Amino acid sequence: MMQSFFSRLLWAFILLVFQGLVFNHIHFFGYATPVIYVYILCLQPLNTSRWAWLLWGFAVGLGSDFFSETPGLGAASMTLTALCAPQLLRLFTPKDCLEDMVPGYRTLGGWKYIGYVTLLVLLQQASVMMLEVFSFFSALDMLYTYLGSSALSIVLILVLERMRGNK
């Protein structure tokens, strides 16, 4: 139990460092910026308590705020995503699965895991867009940013999971 906590903590640190030093400086076509720190919520076991989900989401969001210089934006969006993540995970897990199951390609199956990751990223990106823009005057630009950032984030998270799963 403690080893998995420290491995998730190491993952969170690595993801935040890469986000801050590499991915925050990538803007494909001026719109799409990948966000990989959402992956830490994908590493939470099924039996994680509600307060632990929220704490992980808030802490990782606060870390992303530190690197991105966006006070409270990452913390708010990741806390909202962490609030909804257990219910989203339950949508994709079979009824007879183990309580300590960690979501992944092997445990959920390919399409179910892709669906879970997609919903998490779309929720996180939607909350970021709504909090950051807070208007619909540039709706087309907001849609391009939302779809581009979400697509890049999903692809990168799935690549990370595939690399992590091939140990």
Side-chain angles (χ1 to χ4, degrees), residues 76-94:
S77 66
M78 283 296 287
T79 304
L80 175 68
T81 306
L83 181 68
C84 300
Q87 287 82 11
L88 293 176
L89 181 56
R90 296 239 183 245
L91 287 175
F92 294 101
T93 54

Side-chain angles (χ1 to χ4, degrees), residues 103-144:
Y105 282 120
R106 291 184 181 151
T107 55
L108 288 180
W111 290 110
K112 287 184 179 182
Y113 184 72
I114 291 170
Y116 173 61
V117 168
T118 300
L119 286 178
L120 276 182
V121 170
L122 289 175
L123 176 65
Q124 192 271 341
Q125 285 296 305
S127 62
V128 166
M129 289 297 119
M130 291 298 137
L131 290 171
E132 187 176 39
V133 176
F134 212 64
S135 78
F136 291 104
F137 287 115
S138 58
L140 197 56
D141 287 342
M142 189 172 79
L143 182 66
Y144 291 152

Side-chain angles (χ1 to χ4, degrees), residues 6-119:
F6 285 119
S7 69
R8 282 194 308 270
L9 193 62
L10 180 64
W11 266 104
F13 179 74
I14 291 169
L15 291 173
L16 286 171
V17 167
F18 270 96
Q19 183 69 44
L21 298 178
V22 178
F23 293 115
N24 280 349
H25 302 289
I26 297 173
H27 305 290
F28 286 109
F29 305 110
Y31 292 106
T33 301
V35 177
I36 60 166
Y37 56 83
V38 180
Y39 183 56
I40 197 63
L41 293 179
C42 298
L43 297 175
Q44 299 300 321
L46 184 61
N47 64 352
T48 303
S49 64
R50 171 76 70 179
W51 66 268
W53 280 97
L54 293 173
L55 189 62
W56 275 105
F58 180 75
V60 170
L62 202 59
S64 75
D65 286 335
F66 175 75
F67 279 112
S68 304
E69 297 176 3
T70 55
L73 182 66
S77 66
M78 283 296 287
T79 304
L80 175 68
T81 306
L83 181 68
C84 300
Q87 287 82 11
L88 293 176
L89 181 56
R90 296 239 183 245
L91 287 175
F92 294 101
T93 54
K95 300 290 183 212
D96 60 343
C97 72
L98 298 173
E99 281 297 313
D100 61 346
M101 183 221 30
V102 177
Y105 282 120
R106 291 184 181 151
T107 55
L108 288 180
W111 290 110
K112 287 184 179 182
Y113 184 72
I114 291 170
Y116 173 61
V117 168
T118 300
L119 286 178

